[in-house]
Amino acid sequence: MKKLEIQISQIAPCGANCVICMGYLKKENSCPGCREGNESKPKSCIRCRIKNCEELVNNDFIYCYECSKFPCTRMKQLDNRYQRNYNFSMIENLINIEKYGIDIFIQNEKKRWVCSKCGGIISVHRGYCTDCGEIRYYHTGTKRAPIK
């Protein structure tokens, strides 16, 4: 079982928490996270337009919110897709990182994504614990909603 240990380097420039991504949580050939090497990453992640954004790279920005174009069209498209499919906002994450700082953001992520049943990790893409199957979110159409 992977424990929910989040390092600052596991928060992507777009505000995604790599630790809760299915690519990271896979048992075999798992992705090391957006800021790590490209060895085992899917091609779509290697070619990520946000991670490879000229503004981000040329200005040594750590997060997209540091850019004067934030939120840019690409960021809005990604955020809309994640809000629609997973009830998850990367723009909201970035606003919270800017407002409260990365340490508080990580503390809140640990509370939000740890399984209350076994302590495993809730996948943002699946809505359930990858260890015990405990459901945290369920589909309502194409959107996930918290279980009350």
Side-chain angles (χ1 to χ4, degrees):
M1 165 175 41
K2 286 189 178 183
K3 284 285 191 195
L4 188 59
E5 295 180 21
I6 307 169
Q7 305 300 317
I8 292 172
S9 64
Q10 293 167 315
I11 306 300
C14 66
N17 174 356
C18 293
V19 176
I20 62 172
C21 175
M22 277 311 296
Y24 181 88
L25 293 169
K26 290 188 320 185
K27 303 262 188 260
E28 295 178 19
N29 299 320
S30 64
C31 177
C34 292
R35 295 187 190 272
E36 301 299 325
N38 291 332
E39 301 81 45
S40 61
K41 287 184 187 171
K43 285 185 174 48
S44 61
C45 294
I46 294 169
R47 293 188 312 256
C48 175
R49 290 184 188 171
I50 292 176
K51 183 182 98 166
N52 296 310
C53 170
E54 284 185 32
E55 294 290 328
L56 198 69
V57 174
N58 292 339
N59 292 293
D60 292 324
F61 293 148
I62 297 171
Y63 302 106
C64 293
Y65 74 77
E66 298 172 271
C67 181
S68 63
K69 297 177 183 178
F70 174 77
C72 65
T73 301
R74 177 68 53 201
M75 187 75 226
K76 288 177 187 175
Q77 290 170 340
L78 179 66
D79 191 70
N80 284 335
R81 190 176 81 224
Y82 268 73
Q83 283 191 54
R84 184 179 61 248
N85 294 330
Y86 310 114
N87 198 29
F88 178 86
S89 173
M90 293 173 190
I91 292 175
E92 183 180 308
N93 282 358
L94 288 167
I95 290 168
N96 286 329
I97 291 168
E98 182 180 27
K99 186 174 181 179
Y100 302 110
I102 190 66
D103 293 329
I104 298 295
F105 174 77
I106 288 173
Q107 286 176 16
N108 290 335
E109 285 290 280
K110 287 178 181 178
K111 292 174 194 168
R112 183 177 180 191
W113 300 105
V114 69
C115 176
S116 58
K117 186 176 179 182
C118 76
I121 301 171
I122 305 294
S123 162
V124 67
H125 298 112
R126 300 289 188 260
Y128 58 79
C129 178
T130 54
D131 291 318
C132 73
E134 178 78 5
I135 298 171
R136 171 76 57 90
Y137 298 95
Y138 62 92
H139 278 292
T140 57
T142 59
K143 189 173 182 178
R144 291 194 182 275
I147 293 178
K148 303 201 178 193

